[in-house]
Amino acid sequence: MPQTTPTPASSALEADLRAGTGLLSDPEATTVERLMQAAAHAFADKGFHATTTRDIASGAGLSPAGVYVHFGSKEELLFNLSRTGHESALRQLRAAIAASPAPPGQLASLMARFSEWHVEQYQVARVVQYEHHHLTPEHHAEVLALRKEMDALVRDVLERGVASGEFAIDDVGDTALALLSIVVDVARWYSPTIKRTPAQIGATNAALALRLVGAAEPRRTARLATDTAAPPPDA
Amino acid sequence: MPQTTPTPASSALEADLRAGTGLLSDPEATTVERLMQAAAHAFADKGFHATTTRDIASGAGLSPAGVYVHFGSKEELLFNLSRTGHESALRQLRAAIAASPAPPGQLASLMARFSEWHVEQYQVARVVQYEHHHLTPEHHAEVLALRKEMDALVRDVLERGVASGEFAIDDVGDTALALLSIVVDVARWYSPTIKRTPAQIGATNAALALRLVGAAEPRRTARLATDTAAPPPDA
DNA sequence: CGTAAGACTAAGCAAGCGCTTAGTCACTGT
DNA sequence: ACAGTGACTAAGCGCTTGCTTAGTCTTACG
């Protein structure tokens, strides 16, 4: 049985600030931070199982054994990344909802900020959205609780908007799921080679959300697609 | 260099018909079909790299070496699955569009049938949507061409709806991406334990799509969520 | 100065991996 | 009757994997 290191976690606020630092780990960062960055990069790029502990070690500038000074196993590294990532995402959601007094503004702000988070932290976001089922059952359950909280926050905004008459939708659960699909899917299709800025993507998804709940500004002029606007569907 | 078997492909029409056959491979099916089913099951469940060729072999009722009688490598198995899966998806899309004369009906039919496909073939759909980047560059390029076709079909329906004045949207590319996000994401959250039928999910997504393009039936009564309707966000 | 603790590496182990080899068996055509 | 063919397996090869061990170096502290 492996001697499990007592699970370091590196200030989650720091993690929010260190946004898109690029391919090679920041040599100024602590070793634990560099390991988490290297793991996020590799897990997002190739997936948990295709990533070797040697990939992570060399990405952080360590020998293969250096990983195990700080993390008891590869799965523990994934868990730390996944947990802090979910917590970071939840913080964004809560802040976005708090930034506006009424459901329509809350929904717009929520979609914009959460989409921007998926773009700016797209490596972490990919791990959060697509790698959590490789966790051990115990760790998976812990992360699932955070995911349910995220879902509940979105549903709550929708329910209050329906109650106030500002939203006109058929079903809160279905609509919440569709809204989250639009955001979560950003982590799948986004690539740094895409030219749209995080703010543009956020604004687009906020506008789409308001349409979906029947709270969009009255009417817009229909406009045919120009080649300048649309992103490629795949990298 | 490995002696590559001349790439069997098993009638794609057959593949469409054999929908959700469950966990264990159909013993009536041919060996190639059983291998593809076992691979789809394992790849969807654990991902390409976490799946061993021994998993696939035993899932198809063969010894580990039996796989290599029919496929030259594990990647070739993924490629066959991915290619026939993309072709099957494309066929659904085209049939859905052909089933209706005007853009609103085409969009509704497209969203409904494509969503249903993601549910009924959810193991294949997961491989199609989430495993294709594990292909070799050559094979990846081939399925990317099929993916671009799928995207083009959706955009075409939107553009014709905008041109006819039936759709009122801000940007065709952004809207097409959001619609595809809603459908593709079905493969992520769907699980056979969920109680909603494929037809229900398809109808929901068709209705959401019509709202999103501003072509929904005039107004609906706002209705608060009841516990009976909404699916869980995770398995 | 001595020593204890922590961060790290060189080397390597056992297990599991993708895939191959050599051969068996059932069936087909002549 | 028999050679040929294709589907399949038992055994295993060479390599990579996650992780461990034993030890070095640096820093902190009495």
Side-chain angles (χ1 to χ4, degrees), chain B residues 9 46-47 58 71 73 75 81 90 105 118 122 129 132 146 149-150 173 185-187 194 202 206 212:
Chain B
K46 314 191 286 184
S58 74
F71 296 92
S73 68
E75 191 273 345
L81 206 48
L90 257 173
H118 276 75
Y122 86 100
Q129 303 298 359
H132 64 84
L146 297 173
E149 258 188 89
M150 294 171 33
D185 206 48
V186 170
I194 284 172
L212 206 50

Side-chain angles (χ1 to χ4, degrees), chain B residues 52-74:
Chain B
T52 71
T53 56
R54 286 162 177 84
D55 290 337
I56 298 166
S58 74
L62 295 179
S63 76
V67 175
Y68 295 90
V69 174
H70 304 281
F71 296 92
S73 68
K74 188 171 92 163

Side-chain angles (χ1 to χ4, degrees), chain A residues 18 24-41 56-57 59-62 70-71 77:
Chain A
R18 268 189 320 280
L24 295 168
S25 281
D26 179 6
E28 300 271 309
T30 71
T31 304
V32 166
E33 288 168 343
R34 266 161 36 228
L35 277 167
M36 306 242 319
Q37 285 171 20
H41 177 67
I56 299 166
L62 295 179
H70 303 281
F71 296 91
L77 198 34

Side-chain angles (χ1 to χ4, degrees), chain A residues 33-118:
Chain A
E33 288 168 343
R34 266 161 36 228
L35 277 167
M36 306 242 319
Q37 285 171 20
H41 177 67
F43 290 161
D45 193 44
K46 314 191 285 184
F48 176 70
H49 274 100
T51 298
T52 70
T53 57
R54 285 162 177 82
D55 290 337
I56 299 166
S58 73
L62 295 179
S63 76
V67 175
Y68 295 90
V69 175
H70 303 281
F71 296 91
S73 67
K74 188 172 93 165
E75 191 273 345
E76 191 182 305
L77 198 34
L78 174 65
F79 174 57
N80 267 266
L81 206 48
S82 189
R83 208 199 59 223
T84 59
H86 277 88
E87 286 164 354
S88 167
L90 257 173
R91 241 175 291 124
Q92 298 293 323
L93 272 183
R94 284 197 234 273
I97 292 169
S100 197
Q106 290 176 330
L107 180 63
S109 152
L110 178 163
M111 289 294 287
R113 278 180 78 154
F114 205 26
S115 296
E116 285 167 35
W117 181 85
H118 275 77

